[in-house]
Amino acid sequence: MNRIVKTSMAAALILMLGSCNIYKKYEMPTADSAIVADYAKASAEVADSTSLPYLGWERVFTDPQLQSLIRLAIENNKDLENARLNIEIARAQLKGAKLSYFPSAALNINGAGASYDHSQMSWTYQIPLALNWEIDAFGKILNRKRGAQVGVEQMEAYRQAAQSQIVCGVANVYYSLVLLNQQLDLTRRTAEIWKEQVESMELMKEAAYVDEAAVVQSRANYFNLLSSIPDLEQQIHLTQNTLSLLLNTYPQKWEVTSQLTFDLPTDLTKGIPVSYLAARPDVKAAERAFAVAYYATNSARANFYPSLSISSNGGFTNLLGSFITNPGKWFVQLAGSLVAPLFSRGQNIAALQAAKAQQQQALNNFEYSVLNASAEVSDALVKLEKNSQKHEYILQQIDQLEKSVEYTQELLQYKRGTTYLEVLTARSSLLQAQLSSLACWHSRATALIQLYQAVGGGR
């Protein structure tokens, strides 16, 4: 056994001298790409647990009703459960790759009987135990194991990405539902005011302050406003069903807050730290996919080198050559093999070329994911900042329009050079400004959600 191992290892050592690259562990190619270099530097830094990417969703979405819905979605969502199962699959594959270092064993018990010219039946039997051990002299098993390990990390990143999408998806639908409820409430309250206005116009007509055209116009605008209420109610119903689907439950009505306030994380306008991008699970998954492709290329290279294996057979049998002995005897066989590929019709060359191309594709996808993440973070920051500014202007507009409605109403009542058209215009403008204020609030909420998802939040 020692002679076989020594002879095989000596032959393998000669070939190993030219195959050192096969054993090289994955490293990001920082010299070839500034994007990858920045990412590698950020990944090596100690994570700041207080920064936005590492804040738990409970600290970003503080609404108790929203928190309860997010918890329910995390517990019930099938996509997240599938992501967890993908991790289990990857771990099982890693376990299989690790066990490849051990010998394989097989027990093949067989027996047979033979009789010639009515002679007594002769029985033979064999109880062999076959062992086979592939020595990983050229990194074939090593690269498979390393690739499987990276695959586990990739699946964990996908699970984090799935949870981030679920958390932010529920928050998006929740705030859409809040917006629709607020729009419905505002429309109903405005309809009551406009109804009173119609009644006032009818009284003013009787007093000869306005004519019938003004009364008819006021009624038409009142009914136009009422017609928007069924649309809002329908949208609320559809949004409730969408939320139920996210929570993996039957359609039902979900209670939401009536408060239009939420806390914004601090230090959001100081640029886009690369550490934010390095924390994104989809970027991590893309980087791990490149690592998987790297080890796949190494495996393709290893196919050009021999396979070194040692086999052993041992057991108990009564068949020794052409003789049958009773009782049986023990037997042992040892063998070593070194199989070197000489010509495989170009299959190994083609496989290596394909692996190199796929590795370059994975690198391109990784770089693009970093750039895309940077753009998404930048978009969300700008959207949050600009909508905050816009909301301040809209509040000032509403204040002025409320005064305009009051003044034009008084002028019409006392016949001081105004018409009902001006009153109608002022009221319509006020309603549109109030609706714009709600839409702007919703844009700020969605910008916060987009930012949190863009930096990989959802932990």
Side-chain angles (χ1 to χ4, degrees):
M1 180 67 175
N2 289 335
R3 290 180 180 177
I4 294 174
V5 173
K6 288 180 180 178
T7 304
S8 300
M9 292 301 294
L13 183 61
I14 298 173
L15 293 168
M16 285 171 62
L17 296 176
S19 59
C20 295
N21 189 61
I22 295 175
Y23 301 93
K24 185 178 179 182
K25 199 169 184 180
Y26 162 79
E27 293 179 357
M28 280 184 277
T30 55
D32 301 330
S33 171
I35 297 173
V36 177
D38 291 340
Y39 178 87
K41 182 179 179 181
S43 299
E45 297 175 354
V46 178
D48 181 6
S49 60
T50 63
S51 63
L52 183 60
Y54 298 98
L55 290 180
W57 56 264
E58 299 94 336
R59 296 178 60 185
V60 177
F61 305 114
T62 56
D63 184 341
Q65 290 169 299
L66 175 56
Q67 288 182 346
S68 65
L69 294 176
I70 292 175
R71 290 191 190 96
L72 184 60
I74 291 175
E75 292 173 1
N76 294 346
N77 191 275
K78 295 302 180 183
D79 290 337
L80 188 57
E81 178 62 21
N82 287 338
R84 292 193 189 102
L85 293 175
N86 284 336
I87 294 176
E88 295 302 317
I89 293 172
R91 286 175 178 166
Q93 293 170 342
L94 174 60
K95 184 177 180 180
K98 289 179 177 178
L99 291 176
S100 297
Y101 284 103
F102 294 91
S104 62
L107 182 64
N108 183 17
I109 302 173
N110 60 77
S115 175
Y116 300 95
D117 195 20
H118 305 290
S119 64
Q120 186 178 359
M121 184 73 71
S122 298
W123 292 95
T124 61
Y125 58 87
Q126 192 172 26
I127 309 176
L129 177 65
L131 298 176
N132 187 67
W133 180 28
E134 181 181 358
I135 299 175
D136 192 30
F138 302 101
K140 295 180 180 180
I141 299 176
L142 175 65
N143 282 293
R144 286 200 300 267
K145 187 202 75 172
R146 287 176 174 175
Q149 177 63 57
V150 173
V152 173
E153 297 168 0
Q154 185 183 18
M155 290 301 104
E156 289 172 346
Y158 281 139
R159 187 213 61 81
Q160 169 59 27
Q163 178 160 318
S164 177
Q165 290 177 351
I166 291 167
V167 169
C168 295
V170 171
N172 257 319
V173 177
Y174 179 85
Y175 283 122
S176 294
L177 196 54
V178 172
L179 171 65
L180 290 169
N181 284 342
Q182 291 293 324
Q183 289 176 334
L184 180 60
D185 180 66
L186 172 62
T187 303
R188 285 173 173 170
R189 288 188 283 108
T190 303
E192 290 297 323
I193 296 173
W194 285 23
K195 180 180 179 181
E196 294 176 358
Q197 179 66 34
V198 171
E199 295 172 352
S200 298
M201 293 298 293
E202 291 173 347
L203 294 175
M204 292 175 68
K205 174 182 173 295
E206 293 178 0
Y209 277 81
V210 297
D211 55 21
E212 181 65 22
V215 176
V216 171
Q217 186 64 43
S218 66
R219 288 190 190 130
N221 283 276
Y222 169 63
F223 289 125
N224 180 63
L225 184 60
L226 288 179
S227 68
S228 65
I229 292 178
D231 290 337
L232 289 170
E233 291 173 337
Q234 179 183 359
Q235 292 179 39
I236 289 173
H237 177 78
L238 296 176
T239 307
Q240 291 276 10
N241 287 348
T242 301
L243 184 55
S244 298
L245 188 60
L246 282 175
L247 303 179
N248 199 40
T249 64
Y250 288 108
Q252 55 187 283
K253 182 179 180 180
W254 303 96
E255 296 297 328
V256 298
T257 184
S258 59
Q259 302 296 321
L260 297 182
T261 57
F262 53 84
D263 298 326
L264 291 175
T266 58
D267 300 330
L268 293 181
T269 57
K270 295 183 179 180
I272 309 170
V274 181
S275 59
Y276 279 18
L277 310 182
R280 274 181 61 135
D282 60 332
V283 176
K284 283 184 177 180
E287 186 268 333
R288 295 286 84 187
F290 174 62
V292 170
Y294 171 85
Y295 288 123
T297 302
N298 276 0
S299 295
R301 287 194 179 100
N303 289 332
F304 286 89
Y305 295 89
S307 297
L308 176 62
S309 62
I310 298 174
S311 61
S312 172
N313 286 280
F316 192 74
T317 183
N318 71 338
L319 180 62
L320 300 176
S322 60
F323 299 98
I324 300 174
T325 63
N326 288 300
K329 304 294 183 180
W330 292 97
F331 73 94
V332 176
Q333 296 175 336
L334 294 175
S337 66
L338 185 67
V339 181
L342 297 179
F343 180 70
S344 58
R345 296 174 295 182
Q347 293 181 6
N348 287 340
I349 296 175
L352 179 58
Q353 291 176 342
K356 287 181 178 179
Q358 290 170 347
Q359 181 179 341
Q360 185 60 46
Q361 284 180 334
L363 178 59
N364 294 340
N365 293 337
F366 168 47
E367 291 179 341
Y368 178 79
S369 68
V370 174
L371 295 177
N372 181 64
S374 176
E376 289 182 357
V377 173
S378 177
D379 291 346
L381 283 170
V382 171
K383 183 177 179 180
L384 191 60
E385 178 186 0
K386 297 307 177 183
N387 275 281
S388 296
Q389 295 176 0
K390 179 180 178 180
H391 192 248
E392 293 297 324
Y393 294 135
I394 292 177
L395 291 179
Q396 296 179 28
Q397 179 190 15
I398 290 174
D399 179 66
Q400 297 301 310
L401 287 173
E402 287 175 343
K403 294 178 181 178
S404 175
V405 170
E406 179 183 354
Y407 296 158
T408 54
Q409 184 66 36
E410 291 179 355
L411 290 173
L412 177 63
Q413 184 175 357
Y414 295 106
K415 289 187 176 182
R416 295 184 178 178
T418 190
T419 64
Y420 175 70
L421 183 59
E422 293 176 349
V423 175
L424 178 61
T425 301
R427 287 192 177 276
S428 298
S429 298
L430 175 60
L431 177 60
Q432 291 304 315
Q434 291 170 329
L435 292 173
S436 296
S437 176
L438 292 175
C440 189
W441 168 87
H442 182 255
S443 295
R444 291 173 64 225
T446 56
L448 173 61
I449 297 169
Q450 290 171 7
L451 177 61
Y452 188 55
Q453 186 170 4
V455 300
R459 291 164 177 80

